[in-house]
Amino acid sequence: MLSVERWHRQTKHDSKTKKSLPAPIVLTDYTNGVCFVSAANHDALACGVTPRMSLADARALEPNLKIVPADSRADTSMLEKIAKWTTRYTPWVAICGRDGLWLDISGCAHLLGGEDAMIKDLTVNLSNFGFTSRFSIADTPGAAWAMAHYGGEENLIAPGAQRLALSSLPIIALRIGDSKAAELIRLGIRSIGDLYALPRAAIAKRFGMVIGERLDQALGLMPEPISPRRPLPRYRAECSFLEPVSRKENIEACLLQLLKDICSNLECASQGVRQLILDLFLVEGATKTLHVGTVRPVREAKCIAKLFAEPLSKIDSGFGIETMILSAQVVEPLTESQINILVDERDEEIIPLASLLDRLGSRLNFEHVTRLVPRASHLPDRAMRQVSVVARNTQGSWPETQIRPLVLLDQPESVESITGVGDCQPPEVFRWRQNKYSVSATEGPERIAPEWWRRDRAWSRGPRDYWRVEDEEGRRFWLFCECRKDGQCNLSHWYLHGFFA
Amino acid sequence: MDSAIYRIGIYTDFLREMYIDAPEYAEIQVTSNFSFMRAASHPEELVTQAAAFGYRAIGITDRNSLSGLVRAHVEAKKVGIPLLVGSRIDLKDGASMLAYPENRLAYGRLSKLITLGRRRSPKGECELYREDVLKHATGMVLVSIPPRSYNVEFEVELAALNSAIPGFVYLAASHSLCGDDDAHLDWLSKVAARTGVPMVATNDVLMHRESRRPLLDILTCIRKNITVDTAGYWISRNGERRIKSREEMARLFVHYPGALVRTVEIAERCHFSLDELIYEYPNEVTLSGRSPQVELEQLTTVGSKKRYPNGVSEKVKNQISHELMLIGELGYAPYFLTVYDLVRFARSKGILCQGRGSAANSAVCFCLGITSVDPSQSDILFERFVSSEREEPPDIDVDFEHERREEVIQYIYEKYGRERAAMTAVVVTYKSRSAIREVGKALGLSQDVIDALLKQPLSLLRSDIDLGQLREVGLNPEDRRLHLTLRLASELLGFPRHLSQHVGGFVISRGLLSEIAPLENAAMEGRTVISWNKDDLDALGILKIDVLSLGILTCIRKAFDLLKNHYAVDFDLASIPTEDPAVYNMLCAADSIGVFQVESRAQMAFLPRMKPRSFYDLVIEVAIVRPGPIQGDMVHPYLRRRNGEEEVNFPSEELRDVLEKTLGIPLFQEQAMKIAITAAGFSPNEADALRRAMATFSHMDNIHTFRSKFISGMLANGYDLDFAESCFQQIEGFGSYGFPESHAASFALLVYVSAWLKCHYPAVFAVALLNSQPMGFYAPAQIVRDVKEHGIGVLQPDINHSDWDNILEPRGAGVVIRLGFRQIKGFREEDAIRLIAMRGNGYRDVPSVWQRSGLRPAVLRKLARADVFNSIGLGRRDAMWSVVGLGEQPPPLFTNAMMEEETNESSSIKLPAMPLGVEVAEDYDMLRLTLKCHPLELLKPQLSEIVSANRLLSIESGARHSVAGLVLCRQRPSSAKGVCFLTLEDETGIANIIVWPEKYEYFRRQILSARLMKVSGKIQSDGNVTHIIADEIEDLSVMLDELGSECQKGAESKPVYGINKGILKSSGSSNMLALRSVPSLPTRG
C-alpha cells in the first residue's frame, strides 16, 4: 500500500487533484522475467488482486487496472522520510520491513496527551500526507507488530496484557515466515494461543528455536532490541562556537579546519568528494545552506575552501553564526597517485583545467558548463550531445570508422555549383558565402539515410550523399546533395555541412 | 496468386526492355530472411525482384544454411530466372565465403559440410573451420568475403586458399556507399592482382527493395535485444543493400567492368539445380533378391490370410489387386514396406500403433497390419489415394502410444543411421502476436501498450487499421510509433524465426541424407533434423513418414494389459467385437467420459442428438464436431436430415456421388476438395493448392483469388450462390482443422474401442486412463468420480498397499481401484519404487518407513500430506507431526531408544482433529481429487435455493433456477462467436452453463477467477441435454477458502494489510481448479 500511495503522491504534483485514489492501481515488478504485482491499492484489492500475483492473472481479473512500474528505491526513501518525520514523536525510530516503522515511545507518550492521543495524532497526520497507516502500542515490539498487522480494531495492549491479547491472533503474526506458519497451520496450530499449550521441546525439535524465541519476545519474556535508524552521512564535521562568529576570516578559518577533518577521513578511506554541503546555523534561529560541487573527486582542503569563498562572501551572517556543519554528500573513490618528481606536462594541464571548471561551475552553476559526448548515430548532427561537465556515466567513444569533419555547421548551408561534371559527382567549382572554390579532389559518396523512426525536419527530404571535397588551396569541405527517389543524386542542389582540418 | 504473378510478369517485361543496354549481371551475395533476423526479404521476393531487373541469375547465400533455397527454387522456376544454389559459409577461423557447387556431387559436399558444422554445435549454431572447407571444396566455387578495412592476414589467407584450389576462388567486392568505397575497391583490386584471385562484383543484398530498410533495422534490434533508440550504429546507414538495377551496378563498378562480367561467369559455371536431386527409398526394407513390389505382394497375401481366416471376399480381393497394381505403377512399394517395418517393430515391442492418412485405410494397409479399420466393414473410398493423375505421394501417418513413441524414433535412427534418417523441420514464423510483441519492443513501446495492442483482434494487421478500435483501448491512434509498429509487424508476418522440429515427420533415404540437405541438431537431445520443411520436401518429391503420438493408444494398450492379467482375455484393436449395441447405447446416453474424441462437452451434447448406431456414424461424429463443419454451419442441416426432419436432396446429380454418404452435406475434407473439382471446375492441383493456401497464414492474401474463382465456377455450373458460399466457407474452416474421411475412420475405430472398454470393463478403462495421464479432456478427479458412479469402489493411496501406477484390487466377486503413488503431486517414481521395494511385510510406523526406505523427510512430508498412512493408523495431521519430528538427519539405525521416546512424546500431544473441509482441500491439493466428500456437500447448508446438478434434467425448460459448483472448465471456442461455455460440478454431477457475450463481459471477473461459482438463469433442455443460460454469476470462492482454512466464520481476524490472506490460498488450494481450463478441440495428433 505504501508504494502505491508513494506513487500517487508523486504524480499528484502534476495533476493537483486531491481526491482519493480513483481506480484500481497496481505496481509491478519483474522476477525471472515474469511480471508480477508488487503492491495494489484498495480498489485493486477489492477486485481480488493480491500482491505476488502475476500481472497476467491480475489483468484477467480486472482489465482496467492501471499499471505502474514499482520503484523500490523510491519506496525506501519515502519510508526513510516518514521515519525522519516521526522523530518529532520520539528520537528512537527504526524501519521495519518494506512498509513498517518501530517507534520506541517509552516516556514520550505523555507529551502528546497519552497513548491514544498519540496514535490519533500520528494517524491523522499521515493520512493528511496521503498514507494509510495503522498503529499499535504494546509492551513488546513483537506484540505491537502482531496487533498492528492482525489485530483488527484493537490497537492498544494494556501493560502486561499481551498474553491474552495475542492468544487469538493467527500464528503468522509471530513473524516466523510463511512456510513455518503454513506447516503449523497444517498441524492444526492456527493461533498463537494454540502454541501456549504445546511442550516447547517438541516444537523446537520440529521448527527450530525461532518460534519459541519469537513467542517469548512478544510476551516480554525475552528482550528484542531495536536499533534506530542511522541517517548520518559518513563524512561530516561540525563546530559550535561559544560566542557567535561573524568575521569572515574566522568563518573561513573554521571552514578550513572542518575541511581538513573531512579530508583526512576521506584520505583514510581512499575517497574524494564531489559534492559538499555547509550548514550555517545563525544566532537568530535561521539556517543557511551552501552547496559546492567539483568535476572530479578531490580532497585538498585548500582547493575546496576556494570553491566556498565565492558563495560564502554572499552570505549575510547577521548577528553571527553559532554552529557550522559540513557534510560530504557525494563521495567517489580517489586513490593516491604517485607524485612525479619530474613535472608531468599533462598533469599540469589537466589540473588547472579541472580547477578552472570547478570555479566556473560554482560561479555559473554546473548546468551551464558543458562538454560534448558521443552518441551512436549515423546522422552527423545527432552523433553528439551536450552534457554538463560534471555529468557522470557518459559512456561511448568517438567512432573511428566514421569520416566526420572537425567543424560541423549547425545548419547545412546552400552552395551554388558553378560547373558540374555530372554523373553523380560534386561540382568542380562552387560558390559559398560569396567566395568561389575550385575543387581539386573528391572522395565519396557516403550515403546516409534518415532515422526512419524519428521525425526530423532537417532529414525530411530523404537520404543524402556526402562527399569530401578538397579545393586547390587545400581546404577541405564536407558537401552533400540529396538523393532522389530512384537513388540518383539531385545534382543541382549542393550543401555545405562542415570542414575538415 | 495468379493475378499477382501476372502483374509482376508485365513489370518484368517492361523492365527488361528498359535495361536492355545495361551490362549483364548476376547477384551472388544475397542473404534472405532464412538467415534469421539478418535480412528483410523472403527468398521469393528476392528472386522475383532479380528477375524483374533482368539479372542473368541470382544466388541465395544464407548463413551456413540451405533452408530458404527450395522456396527460391520454386519461385525462380515460376518467374524464369536461373537460381544459383549456394550458401555463405561463416568460419570460426577466417573470413566468410560464398560457396557455389558446380554440380550435383559438389552440392552433396556442400550439404555435408554444413551438416558437419551443424551437428557438432548446439541447435541453431554452426561451427566450421578453414580445413573443413578445404576437405569439401572439390567442385565448389568459393567467393571470399573481404573485411571492410585493410588487413594483411586476409591477403595471406586468400593466397593460401587460391593455391589449394586454383581456379575456383574469387574475391567479392561490394560498393556500399560508405564514403570510403573508392579506397576499399582500390585495395581489393590490388589484392586481386597480387594473389591472382579474380575480383567479382556483389551488392551484399539484405533486402529486395529499399522500403524494407526499417524492417531490417527492426530485425537487427530483435536479434540484439535492443531498441531503435539505443541501437546506434547497428542501424543501417542507408538502404543500399538491396537488389539494384543493372545500370546502377554498372555505375558503381564503372572502373571495374571485369568484376561485373565475372558474376555472369560464375552463374554459367554453377548450373546445379535442385531438380537434379533424386530421392530414393531406402532399400533394406526387402529381403535380399526380391523386388519391393514382390515383397509387398507376398506380405499382403500372408497378411490377408491372417486378417480373414475364413477366406478373403471377392470384393476385398479385387480391391487388394487394384491397389497393388497402382502401387506398382507409381513405385510406392518401398514406402509401404518402410511403414510396415515401423509397425512391425512397434508390435514386437508391444507398442500399440495405428496408421491413418489417405493411404492408410487401404486394404493393403489392413492386411499389413498398419491399420485396423477393416475395409470390408466400412465403406470408404480411396479416390484420394488412387488418383494417380495428381502424383501426390501416399500419405500415411502412424500414431504410436505417447509414452513410447521415442522408442520407435530411436529405432529409426538406429536402423538407418543418423546420416540417412532425420526429422523434418518446421519453419517457425512470425504470427501476429509475436510480430506485434517483438516489433513493439524494438520500437521501445512500453509493455502495457504492447499488451493493449495484443488484445486487439487480428484485423489490426490488415491494411485497414481501425483507428476507433485503438482509441477504445486507450491508445492514441495518431502516435507515430504505434503506426510504425503495426505497419512493420504486418510486414514481419510470415518471416521465419527459427527452425524447429516437426512433431513426427521423418525422412529416410537410400543414400546419405546429408547429401540432399544439411542436417542439424534439434533442441531435444538425440534428435536430428533436416533443414527443410514439409512443403519444401513435397516440392522436391521427397517422401516423409509421420511418426506421431497419441495418448489414447497408451490408454488402450494399458487396458489390454490389465484385461490379460485380471480377466485372462486377450484383445487387440482389430479383435474387439464389432458393432456391439451396448456400446452404442452407452454413447447415445452421452456416457462418454474418457472415450477418445467424443468426450468433449460439444461431443457429449451432440451424441444424444446424433444417436450413433453404427461404425460409420462414429466416423461422421468424429468429423462433424469440428471447427470446419461448425463454421460452415453443416451440423444442424445434417442432424435434421438424419432425423428425417428435412428432405435429403442434392444440389446436382454430379454432386450426388460426392455427398451421398453424408446426406448431401459436405463434412469431409475430400468432399470439399471434390466439390471444388466437380462443381467449381478446379483442376485437382488447384484444389490441393487451395487446401494448402488455407492452411498457411502467409498465403492469406491469395484467398480472395481462390474465393472468386470458386464461387464464379460454381455459379457458372448452375449452383446457387448460398450453396457456393457455404461450401467455400467450409473449405476455409477446413484449412487448418480439416478432417479427411480416412483420418476420421481411423479415429472412429479408436472411439469404438475405447467406448467398448468403458462399457464392458469400466474399472479397467478408468485405471488405464489414470495411468496414461496427462491426456484427454478430463482431470483424474472427473475420471474417478465417473468410475465411482459406475459402481466401482476407489481406495485412497496407501503406504502399504499402493503401487506407482493405479491398480485393480480384487474385492469379492469384483474389483476395486487402488489409487497409486503417481497421483501424488510432486512424488517421484524412483522414490515410489524404493518405497515399494523396501516394504517387506509392511511398514508399522513413520520412523520405520524412514529407516527402511531412506526417503528424505521432505518426501515423507509429501506422503503425509497425501494422507497415505491410514493403514498404520495415522491420520493426516498425526502423520505430519511424526514426519516433522524426524528432523533432517539420516536415520541413525542404533538409536531406536530415541525413536521410542519420540513415539511416547508424540502420543502425549493431542493435536486438534482436522476438519473435513480441510481434509478435502488437502486432498485436492495433493492428489487433485478427493474420495472423502465433495466440497459442495459440505457447503450445501450455507447455499440456499440451489438445485443439484442431477435434478436439472427433470426440470422443465424455461424455468429459472440456480446451481452452484466447482468450475471444471471454461471454454470460449473461436467458432462460437464469443459465447462462453462453463462446466460446473457439484456432488451430484455436472451442470452446463452458457454465457452470452454481453453477460460474459459483465461477469468477466467472476467467470475467469471463480473456483466455486453460483449461476442463476433459465434452464434450456433439449432431449437429454440441459443447459443453463447464465443471467447472474456469483463468485463463491471465498467459501472454499474458508472451508480450507478451517476457521469458523469471523473467528479469525483478517490481516489488515492484505498480506498473507489465508496461508492456504497462497500455498495452492487454487489447485481446486487444476482442471485444464480451456481445452481446445482435439486436433490431429
Side-chain angles (χ1 to χ4, degrees), chain A residues 61-63 134 149-150 183 186-188 202 205-206 376 378 399 402 445-447 449-450 452-453 488, chain B residues 177 179 213 217 232-233 235 237-238 240 251 451 480-481 861 877 881 885 902 905 1004-1005 1009 1055-1056:
Chain A
L61 286 172
E62 178 51 63
R134 258 186 70 82
H149 287 79
Y150 295 93
E183 198 96 294
R186 211 166 277 135
L187 289 166
K205 184 168 176 224
R206 288 172 171 80
H378 291 296
Q402 300 265 17
E446 176 179 0
R447 184 165 294 178
W452 48 267
W453 65 95
Q488 305 266 4
Chain B
L177 284 95
R213 179 173 163 249
D217 291 338
Y233 296 113
I235 297 292
R237 187 193 306 251
N238 52 41
E240 296 305 303
R251 199 163 50 233
D451 287 346
R480 190 171 144 78
R481 293 264 169 133
R861 207 169 291 196
R877 218 161 241 180
W881 183 254
E902 164 61 24
E905 187 221 291
R1004 181 194 167 82
R1005 185 183 310 151
S1009 67
V1056 182

Side-chain angles (χ1 to χ4, degrees), chain B residues 78 270 800:
Chain B
K78 232 185 253 170
C270 306
N800 279 324

